[in-house]
Amino acid sequence: MPLDHFIPQVHLRNFYSADDKGRLVAVKKDDLKTFHPWSEDVCRRSDGSTNLYLHEPRAIEEFLKRIEPNYNAALDALRNRAIGVEHVYVIAGFVAYIVSCSPTAMRMNTPHIAATVRSAAELLDAQGLIPPMPEAFGNRGLTELLDDGSVKITIDEKYPQAIGISQIEGRVYIFGNALWDIMFADPSDGAFFTSDFPVSLGPSYDPRVVSKTVPLAPDVAVCIHPQVRERGKEPDFSFPEFRAKFRRLKAKEIRLINRGLVESAETMVFYHRDADWLLPFVRKHRDFRADAIVTRIPMPTGGNMIAARQGIVPFKRPSLA
């Protein structure tokens, strides 16, 4: 049974410390414990890349063969401001993989499906198309049982992962034909965090979409602003709509990005060195996580329209008292 990494090791190795340990500096969000793992020791799951809903259960591994070996070359191209089509594909593919296959992505992509299934069940129940419930349920209808929690709709998290894998080339196209803010951190002003979900979700130039800020190395991050007009188009991997701006950030801007990265992380964050301020910073921003925000909008004809977006929301961590 393979141990599959949902955050590529080539990414994590870019965050190794330069001290004698030469490893990651990791902090757990729940208990603020610090440890120093190698990249192969974290962000992995048994058979995490295997998905039995797909005709080829290990299909994502073939996709990653085009991403991981070329990651560092793409990173250097960004540093040198000499970005080619192949580099755009690699970085867009790296982001697409995280938002499709990581445990956080699987969790976030589940509530929308569950809400859609529930809405359909309620509509069928209202039309009398659901058989009577067993007497043990007190002759109540399905909608009542859903309302009081007697019946719950559970979605296998592997199902949204399968959808993400089957659509991953489309996501590469969307992210590649986007507006990119490529940001550099000067070591004297600070450096970027990474994590087990290194995607900070935030506002974009277009209020209809969510930007994705992703650290690529301690000194380089990218904020991707997808364009609505690219949705539904036939993929063109020459990325004709790709646009990039380059910026060197000030210390205050780096801290703001790191705040979002700590907040969006699932269980742990990584930095490239030990620092006195590290634990207080994580403590301050640990009670958040990336999540789905689902809204049910009643329709005049019956049923509900399900609207979903993703963002960073409050999430109470265990007490440290």
Side-chain angles (χ1 to χ4, degrees), residues 138-190:
N139 296 316
R140 291 175 292 163
L142 177 59
T143 301
E144 285 184 90
L145 296 171
L146 288 167
D147 286 341
D148 68 17
S150 298
V151 172
K152 299 182 183 297
I153 294 172
T154 302
I155 305 297
D156 181 357
E157 289 186 342
K158 281 290 185 178
Y159 185 70
Q161 185 195 46
I163 294 174
I165 293 172
S166 66
Q167 296 177 349
I168 200 162
E169 292 284 2
R171 290 182 176 179
V172 172
Y173 166 74
I174 292 292
F175 294 159
N177 277 287
L179 309 176
W180 289 21
D181 292 328
I182 299 171
M183 300 168 288
F184 301 102
D186 189 292
S188 62
D189 292 323

Side-chain angles (χ1 to χ4, degrees), residues 16-43:
Y16 274 176
S17 63
D19 61 19
D20 56 350
K21 293 187 179 70
R23 307 182 189 186
L24 295 163
V25 179
V27 181
K28 294 182 179 180
K29 289 178 73 173
D30 282 351
D31 58 15
L32 297 181
K33 299 294 184 183
T34 302
F35 60 109
H36 300 85
W38 298 109
S39 63
E40 58 264 32
D41 297 328
V42 292
C43 301

Side-chain angles (χ1 to χ4, degrees), residues 7 17 47 81 84 149 162 165 201 227 229 276:
I7 304 298
S17 63
D47 264 339
R81 306 190 182 200
I165 293 172
L201 305 166
Q227 301 185 76
R229 67 172 180 264
D276 292 340

Side-chain angles (χ1 to χ4, degrees), residues 202-253:
S204 183
Y205 301 128
D206 186 331
R208 294 171 294 178
V209 299
V210 174
S211 68
K212 294 166 177 62
T213 299
V214 183
L216 303 174
D219 62 318
V220 185
V222 60
C223 183
I224 297 177
H225 303 270
Q227 301 185 76
V228 172
R229 67 172 180 264
E230 296 302 316
R231 294 175 181 171
K233 287 187 178 180
E234 189 69 24
D236 181 352
F237 295 109
S238 67
F239 305 116
E241 299 301 320
F242 171 77
R243 300 290 185 273
K245 294 191 302 182
F246 298 87
R247 284 201 305 134
R248 187 165 295 281
L249 300 188
K250 299 178 181 179
K252 183 178 180 179
E253 295 173 302

